[in-house]
Amino acid sequence: MKSGMLVRSALLLALSSALPGLANADTYTFNFTGRMTIGLNGDAITGGTPEFDNYQTPISASLTYDTVTGLGSSSLSITLDQPFFGASATFHDIAITRVGETNLFNGSLQADWGSNLNILIAIQWDGTGFLNAVNSGVLTVGDKISGDVLYHDSNGDQVYSADEVVIASLGSATPYADALVASTMANYGDTPVNYTPQNHAPLAATSASLGVTSGALQGVKVYLDIGSGNSLYVTAITAVPEPETYAMMLSGLGLVGWSARRRKQRQ
């Protein structure tokens, strides 16, 4: 009997001592602004908004990032405020997967444009700046990732000044859309009036963004730059036990239950 009590006590002690040290994943929620650029046959297509000389369209939405599972399926939905080529457009059902241990994210989303529904679009992001911000360990609710800079809103006034810079260079990539728009303007003799390059984006669309790969709109490229010259705002951070945490808890409870059954059988 004494031996059984010692075993049960040891199991309970091991379980209780392990729990505080079990690893947690962090789930970050962001509100973001960014830009969309449409390409075709090596050029950027005009059809955006005047603030970008009609070459780009502002976008905004929210996304979540889990430090274990990454940027998975999310409720990201982007509805353009203005018609694109005379029709409203909505992007939805985005799914993003990190490419191994690299800083690249491959993904897909669907678009509704006019009477064309659920157009499948392939995208790719260079997430160097985004990952460096997340992995820095200093992100808190209210922070802003803007281009290549991480700000902390120290006084809560939602105004981010130079003295609130936490990281001055996140290593954010230059969006491919910068080069695409610049070359298109040069080809057609357009002089930038309102358009300014993005220079850095925490999630920067790359030239490998394939866009529409089948159907009537095949060949249309879609480049989505998030936090480009704009921002990602941290709205929530939630600690979530990793899967192995649950496995350890269940196995520990199972051992305790097994021990209890053994004791009952001996009585």
Side-chain angles (χ1 to χ4, degrees):
M1 177 68 79
K2 183 177 292 186
S3 175
M5 290 180 65
L6 288 174
V7 170
R8 289 193 297 276
S9 298
L11 286 170
L12 288 171
L13 179 61
L15 179 61
S16 61
S17 61
L19 286 176
L22 291 177
N24 281 343
D26 289 323
T27 299
Y28 296 84
T29 303
F30 301 88
N31 287 339
F32 73 81
T33 57
R35 303 187 197 182
M36 178 187 73
T37 310
I38 303 296
L40 181 65
N41 298 327
D43 286 326
I45 299 176
T46 57
T49 58
E51 67 183 291
F52 301 123
D53 289 343
N54 299 317
Y55 278 99
Q56 294 181 319
T57 303
I59 57 176
S60 62
S62 63
L63 61 82
T64 60
Y65 178 77
D66 186 290
T67 53
V68 173
T69 60
L71 282 165
S73 298
S74 76
S75 58
L76 174 60
S77 177
I78 303 171
T79 301
L80 302 187
D81 294 332
Q82 301 181 27
F84 190 81
F85 282 102
S88 60
T90 300
F91 298 96
H92 56 91
D93 292 321
I94 189 170
I96 301 293
T97 303
R98 187 174 177 183
V99 182
E101 295 300 316
T102 72
N103 290 339
L104 296 177
F105 292 91
N106 284 338
S108 65
L109 53 85
Q110 296 180 42
D112 299 336
W113 177 62
S115 61
N116 300 282
L117 303 179
N118 300 323
I119 306 166
L120 187 62
I121 297 173
I123 58 177
Q124 186 184 82
W125 286 329
D126 184 324
T128 301
F130 177 82
L131 290 171
N132 284 342
V134 170
N135 295 334
S136 69
V138 300
L139 277 186
T140 60
V141 174
D143 284 0
K144 179 176 82 167
I145 307 170
S146 181
D148 201 36
V149 182
L150 173 61
Y151 295 88
H152 178 62
D153 187 14
S154 56
N155 55 11
D157 62 358
Q158 297 185 336
V159 175
Y160 300 84
S161 56
D163 61 355
E164 293 178 308
V165 171
V166 178
I167 300 176
S169 181
L170 291 168
S172 296
T174 299
Y176 171 71
D178 275 12
L180 183 65
V181 172
S183 66
T184 303
M185 283 186 168
N187 289 341
Y188 291 94
D190 291 342
T191 301
V193 177
N194 298 315
Y195 172 78
T196 55
Q198 302 163 87
N199 296 319
H200 300 97
L203 290 167
T206 75
S207 59
S209 295
L210 298 178
V212 184
T213 57
S214 62
L217 299 178
Q218 182 174 349
V220 173
K221 309 289 187 178
V222 180
Y223 305 100
L224 301 176
D225 298 304
I226 291 181
S228 49
N230 299 280
S231 302
L232 283 137
Y233 295 92
V234 183
T235 59
I237 301 175
T238 306
V240 180
E242 294 182 12
E244 55 266 33
T245 295
Y246 292 112
M248 187 177 294
M249 291 174 64
L250 290 173
S251 62
L253 292 173
L255 286 171
V256 173
W258 173 81
S259 176
R261 287 196 299 274
R262 292 276 294 177
R263 183 183 63 176
K264 188 174 181 180
Q265 289 171 359
R266 290 175 179 176
Q267 290 177 345

